[in-house]
Amino acid sequence: MTAPIKTAARVGVVLGGGALKGLAHIGALRALDEAGIRPDVYAGTSIGAMICAAAAGGRTPAQMAERASRLRRRDLFRINHLGMLIERMASRSIYLEAPLRALCDELVPEGTFEDVDTKLLVTAVDLERAMPVVFGRPGMRDVSMRDAVYASCALPGFFPPGEVNGHSFIDGGTTDNLPVAIAALGVDALIAVDVGMADVPVEAHVSSQGFASIFMRAASMMMHEQQQQVLERWVKPPLLLVRPAVSHIGWFSFSHVDELLQVGYDAMKTALVDFPVMVSAEGGIFPRRQASIVVDRAACTGCGMCVARAPQIMALDRSQKAYPIVEGNVWSPADADFIRCCPENAISLSE
């Protein structure tokens, strides 16, 4: 066990959405707990909101890991047979509300946001007013935490919208899957765990895998783009961005619980090496590494996607081949997303 990290800084922890990949958050919280970091703010979306609420309510990582080990498909997914049969296209969801609601009630404490000692923020989207909301902020604190967390987890089409104080809400990841901007208010540093949108890996035959797979693929791309825009504009406070290696695991896979718990723990342990540098910085995203951009000129077609995505970094020469404007740079985990957009995989980073 490593020595505890001592800091007087107010630290916020942000846990993003990612369906069952979010079980990696539990391992990440275990690593934070071992390091002696006690968050002043928890902010989460979807499964990240559920785990944040459980932590703010006093659940330990060990208790959450034990519950995760017993998680079964029936605990979340029971098909809404009657609704789809009778209501057809008017049915609100594929799955019933009751199982997800019961899990929220089990993990999230009773009461409102006023009743927890650690500040808790939960994001959702007001379906009727078409606007994001953050439960736990001033004016949104006298709200049932359980209702708010269910609403944040209510993935459109999969679960019915959540009702909070007479309004209908859906999954907070619809507009902000990693709510770092709102969590940054009033803290000196942030630690954000991204389990859903770090990358969108190549996946063959998605179009033949049914509605749910096609929808989640489209949602992944939309949420990735939204999240990337926020990170590319990030200035302050300093942000430690932790991205566990979970892209190979399915959104709704129940067979990787132990692996998710471990990769979340390992990713946070590795990232915390940079915590002292991050927390003393004025701003920016960490960890940061020196690396150079390498372009395979033979493979480059001159399509210009890299320039369109990162005009401050890439350009086209007279031969219409991409090249880096700077030879070397210090990179954060959020800086090189444009590389993924090269259709020929002609660009890479060399440390």
Side-chain angles (χ1 to χ4, degrees):
M1 183 177 296
T2 58
I5 298 173
K6 296 181 179 180
T7 178
R10 286 178 50 81
V11 177
V13 168
V14 181
L15 304 182
L20 292 180
K21 296 182 185 186
L23 297 179
H25 290 319
I26 299 172
L29 291 183
R30 177 165 73 94
L32 284 177
D33 187 62
E34 288 182 0
I37 296 176
R38 304 290 180 257
D40 296 280
V41 177
Y42 286 104
T45 295
S46 199
I47 189 170
M50 185 183 294
I51 293 173
C52 278
R59 290 257 184 172
T60 66
Q63 290 171 332
M64 287 188 270
E66 190 280 328
R67 181 61 183 93
S69 70
R70 295 186 286 108
L71 192 65
R72 300 293 181 268
R73 181 167 293 275
R74 64 178 177 272
D75 293 334
L76 283 176
F77 302 120
R78 295 180 200 167
I79 295 178
N80 181 17
H81 290 289
L82 187 60
M84 290 192 293
L85 178 65
I86 296 176
E87 298 172 333
R88 297 180 180 270
M89 292 298 293
S91 177
R92 297 198 303 160
S93 64
I94 297 173
Y95 298 108
L96 295 171
E97 175 179 335
L100 178 57
R101 174 71 70 171
L103 188 61
C104 289
D105 291 349
E106 178 184 351
L107 294 176
V108 179
E110 287 188 281
T112 72
F113 289 79
E114 302 282 2
D115 298 322
V116 287
D117 294 332
T118 305
K119 185 176 182 179
L120 172 65
L121 304 176
V122 169
T123 68
V125 175
D126 189 318
L127 188 60
E128 297 153 355
R129 293 181 288 181
M131 59 181 287
V133 298
V134 183
F135 298 112
R137 289 293 297 169
M140 302 291 287
R141 294 184 57 78
D142 189 21
V143 171
S144 164
M145 286 184 288
R146 291 177 173 177
D147 288 348
V149 169
Y150 173 84
S152 185
C153 293
L155 185 63
F158 285 73
F159 295 101
E163 299 295 320
V164 182
N165 292 353
H167 292 274
S168 296
F169 295 87
I170 56 174
D171 194 319
T174 306
T175 60
D176 191 356
N177 200 57
L178 191 69
V180 289
I182 192 68
L185 302 179
V187 300
D188 302 310
L190 283 177
I191 301 172
V193 186
D194 174 14
V195 295
M197 302 300 124
D199 57 27
V200 185
V202 174
E203 184 176 342
H205 310 302
V206 177
S207 62
S208 63
Q209 295 175 14
F211 159 79
S213 294
I214 295 171
F215 175 87
M216 289 307 300
R217 185 68 170 177
S220 297
M221 291 185 284
M222 290 186 290
M223 289 187 285
H224 176 87
E225 290 300 312
Q226 292 169 348
Q227 181 173 301
Q228 187 62 27
Q229 289 179 25
V230 173
L231 294 175
E232 287 178 354
R233 298 193 303 267
W234 191 262
V235 178
K236 59 177 59 176
L239 167 63
L240 187 67
L241 183 58
V242 184
R243 286 177 161 169
V246 297
S247 61
H248 64 290
I249 298 175
W251 289 84
F252 305 117
S253 173
F254 287 81
S255 59
H256 294 82
V257 173
D258 290 342
E259 180 183 356
L260 286 165
L261 295 173
Q262 188 63 45
V263 298
Y265 176 81
D266 292 342
M268 182 61 77
K269 288 276 286 187
T270 299
L272 285 176
V273 172
D274 290 84
F275 181 86
V277 174
M278 181 276 293
V279 80
S280 62
E282 292 186 2
I285 297 178
F286 296 80
R288 312 190 77 168
R289 300 289 184 266
Q290 184 77 33
S292 297
I293 298 170
V294 178
V295 178
D296 182 345
R297 290 180 60 83
C300 176
T301 63
C303 71
M305 281 299 297
C306 59
V307 181
R309 293 297 298 258
Q312 75 282 10
I313 298 174
M314 302 297 294
L316 295 177
D317 63 18
R318 292 181 179 180
S319 301
Q320 293 299 292
K321 297 290 186 177
Y323 73 95
I325 296 173
V326 291
E327 290 300 322
N329 204 353
V330 178
W331 301 88
S332 81
D335 287 332
D337 185 69
F338 68 92
I339 292 176
R340 180 186 65 86
C341 297
C342 177
E344 301 300 325
N345 296 318
I347 309 174
S348 60
L349 279 182
S350 176
E351 295 188 9

